[in-house]
């Protein structure tokens, strides 16, 4: 990368008004990999002014859907053509294994394609109401949208946010995590290259408590969309009350992965590893609570521990690595603190949970994947989102207890059930208070299907037609086909 990476505001690559910069770190070795400009509230305000002008005055709001689709298809193609470059950069900045980063780039391009296609599809309704009236219902873009994303899927979250917003005709101020801005910067270079008009898509770099808060509270922003922790989500929600912003929140989880004794044993073990340890466990939907039917508990844990110990942890760019470092030293320490807490609370650590200091990994933020058994529902490690490679196991006797334990959480993002009894699988899933669920699988995500949570896991849905609708206002248009006087008042 070049020596100083800038932000993209109103079609220009600019420095921060205050002249500040920030070093970006490779979590695999703690080295500086780039220096980026560090914006603040006043930079965000410039972006908001540009987005407002682009929407209301420059005509983006009236751009034909076919043109919005053309630009987004071009963006998807440009991104896909650079898969290697983007994947390597994502791994360098976030730490994840390269094969995961490659999937993320493919998924991001597919997400842009999905929304490019959706831009031109029918979105309205018509009703014959009372003769001679005809009612049309149309969907219109909301206006200026602020979007704030976390560090766990930097590029993919950018696609999930920018795809539906731009396809629906909004203008955008996008803020990546201060820790992981690099692929977003490269994505905005492509946004510029494919020809999005100036001011339509703006990239503001900076911290959550400055740029993020400005986005949440700015009165000229009509909608704020956020992915991240529940505590941050709550503060964004409060800041957004000033002008009654439309909000979408995709927050944390402590999602149950329920294994019944009649499940395909090896398949369930395999998916359980995928449920919790993909992306170092830094996944909002992670199956971070494993609920196992009592009769297979010991055998299942034995096999799971055996396989967990074989997960190859190392720098994501290294051949054969299956799990990378955690995102930062601060976050690593937070995860390690949870491991200590789990031991103090009386849970049994079956494997892992230590920082990895040998094999040349001592400068990175590597943690061995960990599994806790002998938990009780009230333990903090069972209730709180750890957001790392730490699995907590809970035992259940029957279906009823499984459901009760599964729902015993403030969260409601995701959940999975493994059983060979199809009716039981569906019965249990229907009782789960969660928005994203799987039967005999865990984690696969599809652009077509809505993504989001119940309870404190969020508000609204991303992806699918639901995600598109989140970026639209609904207007009714009532047309009198026989425009004669109504005659209500007699004189
Ligand atoms: P945050 O939720 O704090 O960060 C997510 C995004 O929000 C980042 O862009 C961040 O900016 C921004 N942000 C932070 N504070 C504010 C604010 N006051 N107003 C507006 N925007 C803000 O995640 P953390 O990195 O602090 O992680 C904390 C915990 O949150 C994790 O350990 C995990 O439990 C959870 N989390 C959940 C995620 C999910 O997908 N559900 C994703 C990430 C974290 P910046 O980083 O630039 O400061």
């Amino acid at each position: 990368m070049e020596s100083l990476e800038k932000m993209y505001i109103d079609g220009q690559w600019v420095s921060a008004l205050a002249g500040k910069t920030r070093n970006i770190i490779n979590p695999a070795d703690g080295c500086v990999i780039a220096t980026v400009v560090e914006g603040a509230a006043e930079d965000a305000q410039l972006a908001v002014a540009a987005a407002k002008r682009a929407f209301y005055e420059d005509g983006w709001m009236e751009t034909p859907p076919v043109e919005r689709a053309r630009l987004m298809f071009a963006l998807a193609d440009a991104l896909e053509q650079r898969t290697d470059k983007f994947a390597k950069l994502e791994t360098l900045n976030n730490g994840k294994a390269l094969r995961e980063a490659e999937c993320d780039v493919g998924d991001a391009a597919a997400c842009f394609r999905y929304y490019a296609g959706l831009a031109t599809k029918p979105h309205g309704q018509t009703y014959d109401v009372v003769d001679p009236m005809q009612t049309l219902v149309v969907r219109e873009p909301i206006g200026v949208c602020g979007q704030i994303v976390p560090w766990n899927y930097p590029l993919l979250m950018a696609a999930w946010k920018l795809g539906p917003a731009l396809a629906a005709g909004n203008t955008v101020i996008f803020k990546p995590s201060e820790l992981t801005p690099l692929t977003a910067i490269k994505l905005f270079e492509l946004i510029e290259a494919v020809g999005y008009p100036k001011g339509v898509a703006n990239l503001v770099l900076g911290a959550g408590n400055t740029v993020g808060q400005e986005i949440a509270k700015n009165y000229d922003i009509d909608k704020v969309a956020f992915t991240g922790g529940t505590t941050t989500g709550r503060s964004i929600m409060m800041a957004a009350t000033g002008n009654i912003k439309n909000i979408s929140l995709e927050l944390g989880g402590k999602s149950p992965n329920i294994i019944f004794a009649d499940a395909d044993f090896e398949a369930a073990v395999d998916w359980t590893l995928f449920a919790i340890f993909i992306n170092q466990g830094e996944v909002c939907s992670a199956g971070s609570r494993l609920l196992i039917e009592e009769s297979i508990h010991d055998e299942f844990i034995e096999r799971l521990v055996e396989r967990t110990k074989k997960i190859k942890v190392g720098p994501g760019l290294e051949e054969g690595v299956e799990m990378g470092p955690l995102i930062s030293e601060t976050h690593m320490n937070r995860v390690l603190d949870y491991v200590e807490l789990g031991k103090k609370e009386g849970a049994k650590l079956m494997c892992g949970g230590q920082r990895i200091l040998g094999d040349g990994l001592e400068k990175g933020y590597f943690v061995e994947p960990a599994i806790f058994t002998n938990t009780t529902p009230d333990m903090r490690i069972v209730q709180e989102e750890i957001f790392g490679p730490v699995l907590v196991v809970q035992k259940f006797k029957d279906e009823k207890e499984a459901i009760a334990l599964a729902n015993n959480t403030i969260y409601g993002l995701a959940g999975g059930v493994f059983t060979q009894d199809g009716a039981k699988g569906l019965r249990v899933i229907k009782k789960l208070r969660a928005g994203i669920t799987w039967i005999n699988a865990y984690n696969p995500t599809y652009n077509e299907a809505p993504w989001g949570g119940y309870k404190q896991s969020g508000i609204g849905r991303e992806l699918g037609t639901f995600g598109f609708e989140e970026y639209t206002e609904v207007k009714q248009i009532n047309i009198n086909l026989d425009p004669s006087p109504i005659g209500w008042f007699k004189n």
Side-chain angles (χ1 to χ4, degrees), residues 85-87 89-90 93 154-155 180-188:
K85 189 176 147 194
F86 271 85
L89 189 60
E90 193 78 318
N93 194 174
L155 179 70
T180 54
L182 300 187
T183 47
I185 293 170
K186 294 293 150 197
L187 181 67
F188 271 77

Side-chain angles (χ1 to χ4, degrees), residues 148-152 175-178 206-208 212-213 226-229 232 235-236 251-252 284 331 334 385 387:
I148 303 170
V149 302
W151 38 259
N152 57 341
K175 191 199 98 59
S177 163
E178 66 193 61
Q213 272 298 297
F226 168 75
T227 299
T232 311
S235 98
I236 287 176
L251 309 176
C284 54
H331 186 57
R334 189 174 170 270
E385 185 179 45
F387 221 65

